[in-house]
Each structure stands twice: as C-alpha cells, then as structure tokens.
Amino acid sequence: MNRPPRIIAPLLPVAVSMMAGIATGYYHPQDSLITLLAAIAVLAVATLLGRHPRWQTAAIWLCCAVGGHWLAARQLQQLRTPPRSHDLIVCSTPVNKGKTIVMDALTADGKKVRLRMMYGAPVSLGCGLHVSAAIRPVGYHPLYFDSHGYCGEVFAGYRQWHPKRVGTGGLSFLQRTRLRLLAVRQQLLERYRLSGIDRDVYAVTAAMTLGDKSAISQDLRETFSSTGTSHVLALSGLHLGIVYWLVVLLTAGRRHSIIVQVATVLAIWAYAFLTGLAPSIVRAALMLSLYSLLAIGHRDKMSVNALAFAAIAMLTANPLLVFDVGFQLSYAAVLAILLFFPLLNGLVSPRFLQRHRLVAWLWGMAALSTAAQLGTAPLVACHFGHFTPYFLLSNFVVIPMAYVIIMAALLLLATQLSLFATLLSATVTATISALARMARLPGALIDGLQPSLLEVALLYVIIACLYVLLRNVPYHYLAAYRPAEQK
C-alpha cells in the first residue's frame, strides 16, 4: 500500500499564529494603533529577510500573531463602545424563558444586544421597538457574548418600550440581507407548522434544515447530547453538502462550468444566510465556495489549506469567534477528518473495498466518525464535561436518517403533500426513539469530566502522536504482511 501524500498546508501555521495573537489580544489588550504599527514593522522586517527563508517564515508568523492581537483589541473596543441609538430591530425568534422572553436585537446603528422583555409582549422577528431602558454591558459569560458580537443587554419592562418603525439605513448590507432572509425562514417555518407534524418532529426538522433550535425541548437536547449526535442539530458541512449535491444534480453534473459554479456559490451563501450564519455553516460555505472555484480548473479537492483559509477569513471578520464553542468544534472536527480519515480508511485495501460496497460504506462511516471524534472529544470534555462511548453506533443511525429527514423536509416545503409529512414524522420519530434507547444503555455517557486547558493540550499532543504513528508505521508493515489477494 502506498503511503498517503504529504500534507502541505502553509496557511495552517498562519491561522494558528493568528489565533494565538487573538487570545493574547483579548486577555491583554493593548492600544490598537501601537499594535497595528508593530504588525507593520514586523511585516517590513519579514520582507527584508528574503535570503533567510526560515527567519522570514518565523517573521511572517509573528506578524500574523501581532495582527491577530490588533484585530482582537479593535473588536473589543467596538463592543465596549455604547450604541448611539435605543431604537431596536428584533433579529431572532423570541424564546420563552418563564416570566420573560429573550431575543437578539440590532440597534439602529448596527450594534447587537440581548433583549429581555416580560412574557406576553407582542414582539416578533423583524419588528421595530423604541426602548427607554439603559443598555448595559453583559456581566456574565463574557466569552460567549463577546464571541457572538453582543455590545450589551437590556431589560425592557412594560412601560419601557413601545413599537416603532425603525429604518435599516444604519445597518450594513450583510445585516440587512440577513434580516430579509430570516423573514423568509419564518415563512418556511410556518409551512412546517401548517403541515400537521407534531412538536418534536417540528423541532428536529426546523433545527436540521433551517437552523432554528428554539423549539427543541430540554429532553430532546439531552437525548442527542448523551448519544454524541448533537452535531446533526447544528447546521454544518453535512447539511450544506446536501444542498451542494442537489444543485449539482439539478445542473446535470456540469461541475466544471463557470456558470454552474457561480450559481452553486450563490445557492450556498443564500442557504447560509437563510439559516442564520452560524460559525459551522459559514466555515462549510467558505470551504465549498473555494471547492467550487477550484472545480473550474479541475482541482476539486478539499484540503487542510482550504480549512485554514476559511478560518483566517472568519477570524478577520470577527476575531473573537475563536472563543466560540461551535467554531472550535467545527474546525477541530474537519481538521481531524482531513488528517485521520485517509489514514483510517486506508488501513483496508482499496481493491477489497471496491469489491465489497457495503463493507466500504460501513468502514468509511466508521473511519469518518472516529476521525471526527478524535478531533472533538477533548473539547467536548472541556466544555460539556462528558464523553459518549457509543458514538459509532449512534452515528450509524443518525447520519443516514439525517439525509432522509432533510430530503423529506425539502420536498414537504416544496409540495406540502401529506405523504412527505408522514415520511418526515416517521423518520424523525424513529430516530428519536432509537437515540433514546441508546441513551439508556449501560455506560452510554461518561459524565463529570472537567479537564483543564493543560490537560486538553496534552490530549491533543497524544492525538498528534497517534497521527504520526498511523502515518508512518502501518503502511510499512501492512504492505509486507497483507495477504496477496487483498493487495
């Protein structure tokens, strides 16, 4: 068996350096002008080191770290600047939290705030409000609110707000586009409600197809979490890949046509905006866009370099995303898949897999799930304190079901036929039932894990050593000892 090709990803250390600079810039912010001048100075030194490639590379990495520091400091300064307006536009679905409802809102000058109101207030996505209550900095979970771009929060009592028509002239083009497509999403969600599916089916379908998780109950969240399948509820490359596949199918497979690829990229980003621009879906959209552009030149291959490019682009737009759990899990999973999947999948002879299609599919699913788990398990233990040993079994159930659910949901939206509503309800119900049974298996959830940052880093060092071992040891011995009929 041939050894896998060497991974060449010059953008990966650039992205890592940028992340390190962002982390230092967040916890130890400096004057943004001084940091910017330092980045320019380091870049100038790097250009003078052309005859010393190693020193020049180190200088470029240092420049990226200083640039990340500057981006983080600038973002923090913008978040700490109080908004100039108390006119708000609701930009998310209000969620019932007992006596209050909680939602996101944009001020008329484009600042994002967390808005709390007394339960029963007649507000909905897209409506305008004038709030007389003060907008205060968020005093809890600062990493979460900073990484999601909140500049503060406001609680509006009964007499502290009134409806008002608020213009969108102060919003950016992206914010206005997102608001319009979120309104379209509300219409699509209403079509789901009118189809007659029950609450749990609606909640899972809305999350898996349109990125709206507001209807998911705590019991459903625990079922998916305890079986290691929460990733199917968070829109990612799996969901966007299905959209990409549908576009390619509708264009008769003409993947190398410029017009087809432009249409594909537009469809990808329209879906990303429609579903709320979660970090995982933006990452997938960036990678698929790059994949589409490369397909024009017949260089259609996902790579670590493309993943690093997507990370650099996202962190340039919002540097504090590096602290977002969804961002971390998404990139860790895809990086592990790109590195480990070819190695794990290559442990079995390609000729053998070509002759046994079912075995090839099963082995590919196992290799893909194992690779993703290697990348995300330390982070899941750090953030959520648990590990799910039956992740292979649950993914064998939930991933094929996800394809059926998404296809049935899209057909239901397009036709409103009761046949597709029945198929959707049966598939979602069967999936929830199967996952609930797995969650009750002995040892289905190892809870109480709270590794420190140092322990998480050591776990990733061990995983990196495993990668080196798989890359260098098995291919030498397997080629020598594999039976002749499997070579």
Side-chain angles (χ1 to χ4, degrees):
M1 179 185 294
N2 296 327
R3 185 173 296 178
R6 182 182 176 187
I7 301 295
I8 301 176
L11 289 180
L12 183 60
V14 171
V16 173
S17 301
M18 188 176 178
M19 293 177 189
I22 291 170
T24 57
Y26 181 79
Y27 289 107
H28 305 285
Q30 303 295 327
D31 183 81
S32 58
L33 179 60
I34 295 176
T35 310
L36 178 60
L37 292 175
I40 294 173
V42 175
L43 181 61
V45 171
T47 58
L48 298 176
L49 294 173
R51 296 184 179 181
H52 306 279
R54 293 184 179 179
W55 285 104
Q56 187 180 50
T57 300
I60 291 173
W61 294 350
L62 179 59
C63 179
C64 294
V66 177
H69 190 289
W70 173 73
L71 286 171
R74 187 188 64 170
Q75 181 78 355
L76 272 179
Q77 184 179 7
Q78 291 175 353
L79 292 178
R80 300 296 183 262
T81 303
R84 298 189 301 271
S85 172
H86 282 238
D87 292 337
L88 305 179
I89 303 173
V90 177
C91 62
S92 73
T93 304
V95 178
N96 182 10
K97 295 291 185 179
K99 295 182 179 180
T100 62
I101 53 174
V102 180
M103 68 212 79
D104 295 338
L106 294 173
T107 63
D109 53 344
K111 298 279 189 176
K112 184 179 177 181
V113 298
R114 173 61 60 88
L115 174 61
R116 297 178 183 273
M117 305 176 71
M118 297 302 294
Y119 180 74
V123 295
S124 59
L125 177 69
C127 71
L129 309 170
H130 177 79
V131 177
S132 58
I135 299 177
R136 298 184 174 87
V138 182
Y140 53 95
H141 303 305
L143 275 180
Y144 174 84
F145 285 97
D146 287 340
S147 64
H148 287 77
Y150 292 93
C151 72
E153 65 174 347
V154 56
F155 177 80
Y158 284 121
R159 298 182 180 180
Q160 293 180 305
W161 69 275
H162 60 82
K164 180 180 179 181
R165 184 177 180 84
V166 180
T168 58
L171 306 183
S172 68
F173 171 77
L174 291 179
Q175 288 173 328
R176 293 196 300 271
T177 303
R178 184 172 179 269
L179 277 175
R180 293 191 188 101
L181 288 177
L182 285 178
V184 174
R185 184 177 75 168
Q186 287 299 111
Q187 296 173 6
L188 296 176
L189 290 172
E190 188 61 28
R191 288 175 71 88
Y192 280 145
R193 294 188 184 96
L194 295 175
S195 65
I197 57 179
D198 65 31
R199 180 177 178 180
D200 284 347
V201 174
Y202 166 80
V204 172
T205 305
M208 290 181 62
T209 59
L210 295 173
D212 181 17
K213 295 189 282 188
S214 60
I216 297 179
S217 64
Q218 186 61 33
D219 290 340
L220 267 182
R221 290 182 188 274
E222 291 177 359
T223 298
F224 279 87
S225 176
S226 59
T227 53
T229 54
S230 294
H231 59 90
V232 299
L233 297 178
L235 293 180
S236 62
L238 170 67
H239 309 77
L240 206 56
I242 295 174
V243 175
Y244 180 84
W245 174 76
L246 285 173
V247 174
V248 171
L249 188 65
L250 292 172
T251 55
R254 297 174 182 174
R255 295 168 52 246
H256 302 296
S257 167
I258 295 178
I259 296 176
V260 168
Q261 293 305 329
V262 170
T264 301
V265 171
L266 291 176
I268 286 170
W269 282 104
Y271 183 73
F273 273 92
L274 181 68
T275 54
L277 291 178
S280 57
I281 203 75
V282 173
R283 187 268 311 157
L286 283 169
M287 292 189 70
L288 279 174
S289 299
L290 186 60
Y291 177 85
S292 297
L293 295 176
L294 293 177
I296 298 173
H298 299 266
R299 299 180 60 185
D300 45 354
K301 184 179 180 182
M302 287 295 184
S303 66
V304 175
N305 225 31
L307 180 68
F309 171 80
I312 293 169
M314 289 183 67
L315 293 176
T316 301
N318 182 5
L320 300 187
L321 268 179
V322 74
F323 300 110
D324 179 68
V325 177
F327 176 92
Q328 296 172 11
L329 291 175
S330 176
Y331 277 90
V334 177
L335 179 60
I337 288 172
L338 291 173
L339 294 177
F340 279 95
F341 176 73
L343 302 180
L344 296 174
N345 198 49
L347 293 177
V348 179
S349 167
R351 293 183 181 178
F352 177 79
L353 294 178
Q354 288 174 1
R355 292 196 301 267
H356 302 82
R357 296 292 184 179
L358 179 60
V359 176
W361 181 80
L362 293 173
W363 181 251
M365 280 282 296
L368 187 69
S369 298
T370 302
Q373 194 71 16
L374 282 171
T376 58
L379 285 174
V380 170
C382 178
H383 290 297
F384 306 108
H386 65 249
F387 176 73
T388 51
Y390 298 144
F391 66 91
L392 269 180
L393 178 61
S394 58
N395 277 288
F396 272 115
V397 172
V398 79
I399 292 180
M401 290 293 197
Y403 278 88
V404 179
I405 291 169
I406 293 172
M407 294 302 297
L410 293 177
L411 290 171
L412 177 61
L413 286 177
T415 64
Q416 287 291 293
L417 292 176
S418 59
L419 171 64
F420 297 121
T422 303
L423 174 62
L424 181 63
S425 296
T427 307
V428 174
T429 302
T431 303
I432 295 173
S433 177
L435 294 179
R437 292 182 181 180
M438 292 179 197
R440 292 193 294 268
L441 292 175
L445 185 68
I446 300 175
D447 212 347
L449 304 176
Q450 291 296 334
S452 64
L453 291 179
L454 177 60
E455 290 170 335
V456 170
L458 290 175
L459 285 172
Y460 278 114
V461 169
I462 294 172
I463 292 171
C465 293
L466 176 62
Y467 171 75
V468 174
L469 181 67
L470 284 173
R471 184 175 177 80
N472 294 286
V473 176
Y475 291 92
H476 171 74
Y477 288 102
L478 285 175
Y481 295 108
R482 178 180 290 134
E485 65 272 11
Q486 293 191 18
K487 288 185 180 179

